Amino acid sequence: MKVVAVLFALVAVSVADICNDIEGGRAKATAIKDLAATGIDSLMGDCYPNGDAFSALLNSEACSALFYQGTCYGLKTAAKYADVDVVSYDMLRRGVSDVQALGNVACANVEACYNEVFDAVSDCAAADDGFIEGVIDRATEMYKARAEQALAEFGEQNDNTIAGRLVNIAMKRFTDIDSLRAFVSQRVGDDVIDDAMAGYQAAKEAAAAFCDSGCVDQTGKFLKRLFSSMNKGRCVDATMFCGACQINAEVFLGRRANSIPCCLQDVVEQAIAGAQYVADTYGDRAANAESFLREAFADRPDLIAKAEAAAAAAREQFECVSSVYQENKSSCF
């Protein structure tokens, strides 16, 4: 990222350390980091970048900033919405500053942290031909020791729910690492890998442009004003955009002074293009997956109906959002 993104982040962190908003926030995040470090070191085995435990990377300036701010944001958000039944746009507006601060920290540190981790993994893989295989074996052992039984019990006790049935389907299909590898090798060819790499590169470039243009703060200011304007009249539930909330958004965006920031619109347009490419390229595979799931749920038409209703409701809300966006795009040059 460019120097300007780092400067934005330094200013943001100096005035908005999210851990300060939680009682004992940094201590709680440290406890979580220590727990994560134990798991990471167990997973990575005899990989010691810079002669230290792999988890020591969490203490680097870039990775540490990301970990603490991200963890404290999660703790603060979980507490904020723990007892909330209906989320209003005013609640979202009051949460934008935290997202804005976290976004600036991410802009300044994601690339550096990623490079540190990538280089460490690459060095270990180059030094040990069996490194990746070892990581996979240890991950499998950790899953069997810490999660397999709990997942099996959840599936058995909740087979009458969509989540429980999906867990049971997955556990029956993937009985060991070899069955998972066979599944992946049959469905993930060079074309999928090439598309994934191209998508990653496009996302990386879009994120760099978003950060370098100062778009985190532009987007934050825009969203605060948008959410404030939407939080009125019958728009009381942020999960229901169609109707009153849609009208409020249209009124706000209809004013020239409230145009969508071009840097944000660029990201949205790229996301739309990417989603359309995936739909066009992998639509047949998605249809096959749906057919498989319908067969697996054939004995529970009530769950199929519930899933269809949820999907229809999501499509309706998405279409309302899309309509407002398409009709109010900025004239960016």
Side-chain angles (χ1 to χ4, degrees):
M1 303 296 179
K2 294 179 181 177
V3 174
V4 66
V6 178
L7 293 176
F8 281 140
L10 291 175
V11 173
V13 173
S14 67
V15 298
D17 184 342
I18 301 174
C19 292
N20 292 337
D21 298 336
I22 310 167
E23 184 176 355
R26 190 158 288 271
K28 292 177 180 177
T30 297
I32 294 172
K33 186 179 77 168
D34 291 343
L35 184 63
T38 300
I40 290 170
D41 290 336
S42 296
L43 186 65
M44 302 308 289
D46 295 328
C47 177
Y48 298 100
N50 304 315
D52 206 344
F54 197 93
S55 62
L57 292 173
L58 290 176
N59 297 324
S60 73
E61 183 176 354
C63 294
S64 180
L66 282 173
F67 184 88
Y68 276 101
Q69 295 306 303
T71 300
C72 287
Y73 173 79
L75 291 171
K76 182 178 179 179
T77 302
K80 177 180 178 181
Y81 292 104
D83 299 317
V84 175
D85 294 323
V86 178
V87 177
S88 68
Y89 276 101
D90 185 58
M91 292 186 70
L92 295 182
R93 178 191 62 78
R94 287 184 277 120
V96 170
S97 292
D98 287 336
V99 177
Q100 196 172 331
L102 183 60
N104 279 317
V105 171
C107 281
N109 295 288
V110 163
E111 186 173 23
C113 181
Y114 170 82
N115 288 338
E116 291 170 1
V117 174
F118 181 83
D119 290 345
V121 171
S122 298
D123 289 346
C124 289
D128 179 5
D129 291 340
F131 171 70
I132 299 299
E133 192 68 26
V135 171
I136 294 173
D137 289 342
R138 287 187 289 274
T140 302
E141 292 172 3
M142 291 172 67
Y143 161 72
K144 288 185 173 296
R146 304 179 186 181
E148 186 175 41
Q149 184 60 37
L151 277 175
E153 291 176 359
F154 175 84
E156 182 179 353
Q157 296 168 9
N158 296 276
D159 192 55
N160 61 336
T161 67
I162 294 175
R165 178 61 65 93
L166 289 174
V167 167
N168 288 332
I169 291 171
M171 294 195 73
K172 289 177 182 177
R173 186 166 189 137
F174 307 120
T175 56
D176 53 33
I177 192 63
D178 290 334
S179 60
L180 179 58
R181 281 174 172 157
F183 177 85
V184 172
S185 65
Q186 291 170 6
R187 291 163 178 78
V188 181
D190 291 341
D191 57 335
V192 176
I193 294 174
D194 289 344
D195 280 345
M197 291 302 296
Y200 164 75
Q201 188 60 38
K204 182 179 178 181
E205 292 172 1
F210 186 85
C211 291
D212 294 342
S213 65
C215 203
V216 171
D217 291 331
Q218 292 182 54
T219 299
K221 293 175 183 177
F222 169 75
L223 290 178
K224 286 177 184 176
R225 292 167 51 230
L226 172 63
F227 292 161
S228 178
S229 181
M230 292 177 67
N231 190 64
K232 61 182 63 173
R234 295 184 179 181
C235 179
V236 296
D237 184 350
T239 65
M240 304 297 293
F241 183 81
C242 298
C245 296
Q246 179 177 354
I247 293 172
N248 289 352
E250 289 172 340
V251 171
F252 173 83
L253 293 171
R255 303 189 185 101
R256 183 180 296 273
N258 298 330
S259 59
I260 300 171
C262 287
C263 57
L264 172 61
Q265 185 167 298
D266 287 344
V267 173
V268 174
E269 289 296 311
Q270 290 183 59
I272 291 173
Q276 188 60 56
Y277 175 81
V278 171
D280 293 342
T281 305
Y282 299 102
D284 291 344
R285 302 187 193 193
N288 290 336
E290 180 182 349
S291 178
F292 169 79
L293 289 174
R294 284 185 177 278
E295 182 177 346
F297 281 82
D299 62 325
R300 293 302 304 269
D302 57 320
L303 294 182
I304 292 177
K306 185 177 181 179
E308 289 176 337
R315 282 195 299 270
E316 179 185 14
Q317 297 301 316
F318 174 79
E319 288 169 1
C320 290
V321 173
S322 179
S323 174
V324 171
Y325 170 72
Q326 294 295 339
E327 293 174 4
N328 293 278
K329 288 198 290 187
S330 298
S331 299
C332 300
F333 299 98

